[in-house]
Amino acid sequence: MKAWWRRRSVRFRLALWYAAATALVLIAFAWFVYEVIEHRLAAEIDRQLRIDFDLIEPQLGVDPQGHVQWAVRGSHGDEGFARMSAWFEVWSENKELLLRHWPVPEANIKDILPPPQTSTLRFATIELERGLFVRVMERPGRVQGRSVVIRVFRDETEMRRTLREIVEVSALGFPLAGALAAIGGYVIATRSLAPLNAMARQARRITSESLSKRLPNPNPNDELGRLATVFNETLTRLEASFAELQRFTADASHELRSPLTALRAVGEVALRDGHDPTMLRETIGSMLEEAERLTDLVDALLTLARMDATTTGAAREEVNIPTLLEEIRDQFEVLAAEKSQTLAVSSDHNVAVQTDRTLLRLALVNLVHNAIQHSPSNSKISLAAVRRPRDVEISVSDSGQGIAPEYHEKIFEPFFRVDKARSRSGGGVGLGLAIAKRAIERNGGRILVESESNRGSVFRIELPSASQLPSMLSTI
Ligand code: ADP
């Protein structure tokens, strides 16, 4: 049943729910109406019985033989009618029938009614014969000083017919109302869900080639409209990611192609006119240089891909920052010395963070490498670490060519170089900062740049201090 129900369309299910709810409300309402009417009619019959009693009792008398007699007196004078319709019995206290006045021939009366049991006021409904129900009131009375029990009757047939008609009309009306509700529900559901079908049709048409398409959204304020808005926003983000991916692939192919083309060209020239050993040596040298560039590029791409692929948090260990900075200074000392640059390390005492050492080192190596590359000879490059209340800040500052503010965001994108030609000759492919940014973000930190053209640059890494880590971890 559950599986059957789930296989039905939403429209169908809504229509059924609608019909069921309507039927339930109608049944409850009809039941309420039935109860009220029944109560009112029963109360009316009982009121009539009391009136009958009050009319009959004073008109009873005893004839000289001691028999109880009914003498119709009154202002209306409609004796015949009163005689016809009055329906009562008079019983003595010792359960003896004193007078019976029924509107049916005496012969038809079967003695089915036992004598009154109590001498108190009592109402009851009895079935005289099949389908003939009467309401009975028994009440003690007096006939010329003699105590009797008077039993008054009223036919309930009319009341029962009215009630039966209510039931019949309801029984006929409910299926009709239910069917109408179901049809109405189906039509309403069809109309309300129509935008959903349009969305589904459009969504089916959206492929990786047509990510710019959007779902139709006739009314952004209703629930379906909000769904379409959220979906369209997701599509916008997907489109952006897709475009970024395509750009990345195109850039990567381009970057890979250049050294390969150079390798091929140099190789072909050497093959054609390579008779001179000195020239061949030079050719092999430049081929090796290109091969090295290729290796660096592929390494950087692999690093990026690995960082993007791992979704788990970085492995954390306690890293002593001054020690790490000194290690990096030692690593770059020779390179800096080639340009007569000095590398200075300054740090607060015992600054430590819980972080992935390899990733942090990778980021710092890229920053220091850039600083050396983009600073003039005889300049100073500073590495500093400061402990702040909530985090630790590590900065790499140089007094080099600087970066114009409009490039501050772009330099962290893969393959972006402020000055492509110049950077290529220096060997960079534009992946260093992209790698550094991802490495720091995977550690729960962030990387910022402060720089202006020809005023040097400061790259700041902010890493949460140990006590901030648990909350940071959950946001990675
Ligand atoms: P690259 O491999 O070219 O160094 P990066 O991603 O490391 O690539 O840097 C991107 C660009 O940002 C560089 O091409 C350079 O133009 C600029 N840049 C990075 N660091 C510095 C710096 N310290 N001073 C000036 N420009 C910089």
Side-chain angles (χ1 to χ4, degrees):
M1 178 68 191
K2 207 172 171 191
W4 176 87
W5 180 248
R6 291 177 74 120
R7 271 204 306 276
R8 302 300 112 193
S9 69
V10 175
R11 267 180 300 176
F12 182 80
R13 280 188 273 169
L14 275 179
L16 271 197
W17 274 118
Y18 202 66
T22 312
L24 220 79
V25 170
L26 278 181
I27 288 172
F29 182 70
W31 176 77
F32 177 73
V33 169
Y34 181 90
E35 287 290 314
V36 169
I37 293 179
E38 189 194 24
H39 183 80
R40 291 295 305 237
L41 291 178
E44 180 57 26
I45 287 189
D46 290 354
R47 199 178 68 86
Q48 290 292 344
L49 285 172
R50 283 174 203 275
I51 294 172
D52 289 351
F53 180 91
D54 291 343
L55 280 175
I56 291 163
E57 195 199 19
Q59 295 181 347
L60 291 173
V62 183
D63 66 6
Q65 286 83 40
H67 295 138
V68 174
Q69 287 277 310
W70 184 44
V72 181
R73 295 183 297 272
S75 54
H76 308 295
D78 193 0
E79 197 173 313
F81 177 74
R83 281 199 176 279
M84 284 301 291
S85 62
W87 191 354
F88 66 92
E89 287 171 353
V90 184
W91 293 76
S92 72
E93 275 194 315
N94 41 16
K95 304 185 192 341
E96 212 182 300
L97 181 64
L98 300 176
L99 177 67
R100 169 175 277 160
H101 190 276
W102 280 32
V104 284
E106 194 80 12
N108 289 1
I109 302 168
K110 294 179 208 88
D111 240 350
I112 44 167
L113 284 178
Q117 293 303 308
T118 52
S119 50
T120 50
L121 176 67
R122 199 167 77 94
F123 288 94
T125 299
I126 49 170
E127 188 175 9
L128 276 189
E129 51 191 73
R130 248 179 86 81
L132 177 63
F133 287 87
V134 287
R135 185 82 174 153
V136 186
M137 183 185 89
E138 286 168 11
R139 188 170 159 184
R142 286 196 159 267
V143 178
Q144 292 183 352
R146 198 165 146 192
S147 292
V148 290
V149 175
I150 299 172
R151 204 185 233 174
V152 206
F153 299 82
R154 278 244 162 198
D155 190 357
E156 267 194 4
T157 314
E158 201 51 41
M159 167 186 142
R160 284 177 179 263
R161 188 180 303 135
T162 309
L163 292 175
R164 203 174 47 243
E165 273 168 14
I166 293 179
V167 173
E168 281 167 4
V169 167
S170 307
L172 274 179
F174 285 168
L176 201 73
L180 279 179
I183 294 170
Y186 193 80
V187 171
I188 293 173
T190 308
R191 298 190 91 201
S192 336
L193 295 177
L196 206 61
N197 283 338
M199 282 184 215
R201 271 199 303 277
Q202 176 71 342
R204 208 167 280 136
R205 277 192 226 118
I206 297 174
T207 61
S208 57
E209 280 80 42
S210 57
L211 273 177
S212 58
K213 283 192 181 136
R214 293 289 174 270
L215 296 190
N217 193 356
N219 179 7
N221 300 317
D222 66 8
E223 288 83 348
L224 293 183
R226 283 201 288 277
L227 178 72
T229 308
V230 170
F231 200 86
N232 284 342
E233 283 168 5
T234 311
L235 277 177
T236 308
R237 284 198 297 276
L238 265 180
E239 191 187 6
S241 310
F242 219 74
E244 193 184 320
L245 203 69
Q246 276 173 337
R247 210 166 40 241
F248 182 86
T249 317
D251 287 347
S253 318
H254 180 76
E255 293 297 335
L256 284 168
R257 214 189 139 117
S258 312
L260 282 173
T261 316
L263 264 178
R264 219 173 116 181
V266 174
E268 276 171 2
V269 170
L271 205 63
R272 207 175 48 226
D273 343 289
H275 308 297
D276 179 7
T278 330
M279 184 230 175
L280 275 178
R281 272 184 159 280
E282 262 175 37
T283 309
I284 292 171
S286 68
M287 283 173 94
L288 282 178
E289 228 173 73
E290 290 299 336
E292 205 180 313
R293 282 174 57 80
L294 262 178
T295 317
D296 288 349
L297 176 60
V298 172
D299 279 350
L301 282 174
L302 266 177
T303 312
L304 260 184
R306 277 202 201 106
M307 277 197 285
D308 283 345
T310 44
T311 46
T312 48
R316 287 169 196 282
E317 60 187 294
E318 173 133 333
V319 180
N320 186 293
I321 302 297
T323 318
L324 179 65
L325 293 184
E326 266 154 34
E327 227 178 272
I328 290 170
R329 182 190 54 197
D330 295 347
Q331 181 185 338
F332 281 101
E333 208 137 48
V334 180
L335 197 65
E338 277 178 15
K339 289 176 87 176
S340 312
Q341 292 162 330
T342 40
L343 282 174
V345 171
S346 68
S347 169
D348 284 353
H349 192 59
N350 253 347
V351 184
V353 281
Q354 287 282 332
T355 191
D356 182 320
R357 192 174 204 279
T358 320
L359 288 182
L360 178 58
R361 192 172 201 287
L362 183 65
L364 283 167
V365 162
N366 283 336
L367 293 184
V368 175
H369 192 267
N370 278 348
I372 293 175
Q373 221 177 7
H374 300 288
S375 299
S377 302
N378 297 315
S379 61
K380 182 181 161 191
I381 291 152
S382 311
L383 286 82
V386 186
R387 195 190 299 113
R388 299 193 303 197
R390 309 184 116 247
D391 55 11
V392 169
E393 185 195 89
I394 308 166
S395 59
V396 178
S397 335
D398 64 53
S399 43
Q401 68 209 45
I403 306 156
E406 65 262 33
Y407 297 129
H408 284 188
E409 291 218 343
K410 285 207 160 283
I411 51 171
F412 293 102
E413 288 173 8
F415 300 110
F416 180 84
R417 293 179 298 245
V418 173
D419 180 348
K420 292 223 167 190
R422 188 177 58 198
S423 290
R424 256 191 81 72
S425 64
V429 289
L431 286 177
L433 286 180
I435 290 175
K437 183 171 156 77
R438 278 187 179 59
I440 296 303
E441 281 173 356
R442 285 194 70 81
N443 272 323
R446 57 182 193 149
I447 183 165
L448 308 159
V449 60
E450 272 170 34
S451 177
E452 269 179 50
S453 290
N454 303 320
R455 292 248 182 108
S457 317
V458 183
F459 282 87
R460 293 183 200 284
I461 294 174
E462 291 173 356
L463 285 173
S465 47
S467 59
Q468 303 292 319
L469 270 176
S471 59
M472 287 300 302
L473 262 177
S474 58
T475 60
I476 296 172

